[in-house]
Amino acid sequence: MTQQGVRWTADQVLALAPDAASRSAGGRLGAAGPWSGTGTGEGAVWGLCKDSGGEPYRTVVDVADASAPAFACSCPSRTAPCGHVLGLLLLWSGGEVPAAPDPAPDWVGEWRAGSAVREGTVEGAGSAPGPAAPEAARRRAERRAARITAGATELEQRLADLLRAGLATAEQQGYGLWEETAARMVDAQAPGLAARVRELGAIPASGPGWPVRLLEECALLHLLDQGWLRRERLPDGLAATVRSRIGLPAPADGPPVRDHWLVLAQHDAPDPRLTTRRIWLYGTATHRTALLLSYGAAGRAPDLSLPVGLALDAEVSAYPGAGRLRGALGEQFAPPGPASARPPGVTTRQAAARYGEALREDPWLDAVPVTLGRVVPVPDGDSWQLADADEDTALPLAPAARSRPGLWRLVALSGGAPVTVFGECGHQGFTPLTAWPQGEGEAVPLH
């Protein structure tokens, strides 16, 4: 629980987002531009958000209790919280909402007194805990599941139509077909399906061999649809993975694991509206690898930053899903400090086998975290690969990794000698993120 008067972090705010589309919308609205009349006081944050026209939307959030926030907005969005609520909270988390010297506006007071700005925005929120709250949450979950089921069924029909007409039609119809389908999946509150549909749209322009790649991606999308439509028959772990791939949020439910976590890598995925930071950790005692995700809105850097090569004494809890790789950082018992530890390395053959084994649990997995020991970067025609120094095997670098400056840092660090490399190993190849020289030496970020 966040104490009253303490601003939440951007991660805490974005954790409220019901889907990726709302998270993205919140990031776009987390800047001061569209807002006026903002203020905070007496455990509430409020503001007016100007949209395309007409009266600005009235948005108010009760921030007295981070574990059960109440909020309301006069916008027509059916998602809760909407992008305006998330944007206002991001503005507040960034210190850009002033403390109100005067009492809150009347409409805020009326809402806090029990007259919501928009009835039904948040069922049960803001009221005293009681039996109605779990029942309201169950009804919301059922309504969303029904929408996703309708979306998955529609998507199955569209995939069948595509195959019936022939893959060549995908090239003729262009990207518009997929964008419209993706929008339908957003309406169905299935952001994971929407993201995969958008990726389909780019494949016909990806060069020779695109029909094979399109068919492969269609097959994975069909598998995900069927996984959702038959989720009651799946083992618990696989069902959790399907829900995660569909885009249903879930809290970190694993027990806190305390360890000295070595920071293996940190890199950002920039986006005009939202920056996603990926931080890989390695537990030096438990030998577990965990991924932390942190977000920053509207051009701001994410709150969480952990320098590569340092280690921190902290607790990490796992999210549900195959491998339980994603974690949430809990209590930190000491600030990050220097560490001489390195993760143990495997061969390229073992890395490929590890990815294959992970696919059995999560067929939609793009890559797994792997540390390669004693590998040498060597040219391979127009590309590069990491070759085992002690075996006659190698892994190709992923296409995106070949054009980054980190490749040349890796080549310079190696100088023809074996190095240790941490990265992500997947169907497109290996993406190096951090390397250590032979013998003693500090970690070198490559991304």
Side-chain angles (χ1 to χ4, degrees):
M1 177 186 299
T2 300
Q3 295 177 341
Q4 184 171 345
V6 178
R7 286 200 300 267
W8 305 350
T9 65
D11 283 346
Q12 284 177 292
V13 174
L14 292 170
L16 300 174
D19 50 43
S22 299
R23 188 180 302 120
S24 181
R28 177 173 54 84
L29 294 167
W35 292 95
S36 62
T38 56
T40 180
E42 300 178 352
V45 182
W46 60 86
L48 304 174
C49 187
K50 185 71 173 176
D51 209 326
S52 56
E55 292 294 320
Y57 299 132
R58 295 175 172 181
T59 307
V60 57
V61 188
D62 188 324
V63 293
D65 184 354
S67 64
F71 40 81
C73 181
S74 60
C75 77
S77 173
R78 291 176 297 178
T79 59
C82 65
H84 302 93
V85 169
L86 297 171
L88 178 62
L89 286 175
L90 288 171
L91 203 65
W92 172 63
S93 74
E96 297 184 45
V97 175
D102 301 318
D106 292 343
W107 59 272
V108 174
E110 292 169 1
W111 174 75
R112 301 200 73 184
S115 177
V117 175
R118 180 164 64 86
E119 185 177 359
T121 299
V122 188
E123 296 168 279
S127 58
E135 177 61 19
R138 185 188 63 77
R139 290 199 302 270
R140 287 198 300 274
E142 288 180 349
R143 286 197 295 270
R144 181 170 186 182
R147 292 191 188 105
I148 295 174
T149 297
T153 304
E154 178 182 344
L155 184 55
E156 284 290 273
Q157 184 59 52
R158 296 198 176 203
L159 291 175
D161 292 343
L162 172 66
L163 296 181
R164 191 175 296 113
L167 293 179
T169 59
E171 188 177 31
Q172 298 166 0
Q173 292 176 327
Y175 192 79
L177 167 68
W178 303 108
E179 189 56 40
E180 189 267 339
T181 305
R184 298 282 296 171
M185 295 305 105
V186 171
D187 290 342
Q189 296 186 295
L193 293 179
R196 285 189 167 271
V197 168
R198 288 195 179 94
E199 291 175 2
L200 290 182
I203 292 178
S206 62
W210 68 263
V212 174
R213 293 191 291 277
L214 181 60
L215 188 59
E216 291 172 346
E217 292 301 322
C218 285
L220 286 172
L221 194 51
H222 167 68
L223 185 65
L224 185 54
D225 280 339
Q226 292 299 319
W228 172 262
L229 296 174
R230 292 169 171 77
R231 58 193 182 281
E232 291 83 3
R233 306 180 194 177
L234 300 179
D236 291 344
L238 185 56
T241 299
V242 169
R243 288 194 292 270
S244 174
R245 293 294 179 185
I246 288 287
L248 287 174
D253 61 357
V257 177
R258 182 175 179 177
D259 204 336
H260 282 82
W261 296 93
L262 178 64
V263 183
L264 293 178
Q266 170 178 297
H267 62 94
D268 295 346
D271 182 275
R273 293 176 294 184
L274 189 70
T275 297
T276 302
R277 175 166 292 168
R278 293 166 62 87
I279 301 175
W280 283 107
L281 302 178
Y282 173 75
T284 55
T286 59
H287 305 295
R288 293 180 57 174
T289 303
L291 173 65
L292 306 180
L293 295 179
S294 182
Y295 301 96
R300 299 192 199 115
D303 294 329
L304 183 61
S305 180
L306 297 173
V308 173
L310 301 187
L312 67 160
D313 181 7
E315 291 180 339
V316 174
S317 300
Y319 282 86
R324 300 180 75 86
L325 282 176
R326 188 187 169 193
L329 187 62
E331 184 176 357
Q332 299 183 48
F333 302 95
S340 58
R342 295 182 181 184
V346 300
T347 66
T348 55
R349 188 197 309 274
Q350 291 170 323
R354 184 172 296 179
Y355 177 56
E357 292 168 0
L359 285 178
R360 290 187 305 189
E361 305 296 329
D362 183 354
W364 307 278
L365 188 65
D366 289 327
V368 294
V370 167
T371 301
L372 300 175
R374 292 184 55 76
V375 290
V376 181
V378 295
D380 178 28
D382 296 333
S383 183
W384 285 78
Q385 60 184 6
L386 292 174
D388 267 300
D390 306 316
E391 294 186 6
D392 188 23
T393 57
L395 281 176
L397 291 191
R402 300 170 196 162
S403 58
R404 292 181 184 138
L407 170 61
W408 302 110
R409 286 201 293 272
L410 175 61
V411 173
L413 181 71
S414 167
V419 291
T420 300
V421 183
F422 169 77
E424 297 173 358
C425 180
H427 61 92
Q428 292 191 330
F430 188 87
T431 301
L433 298 175
T434 304
W436 293 262
Q438 191 176 31
E440 296 183 356
E442 297 181 350
V444 178
L446 302 175
H447 197 285

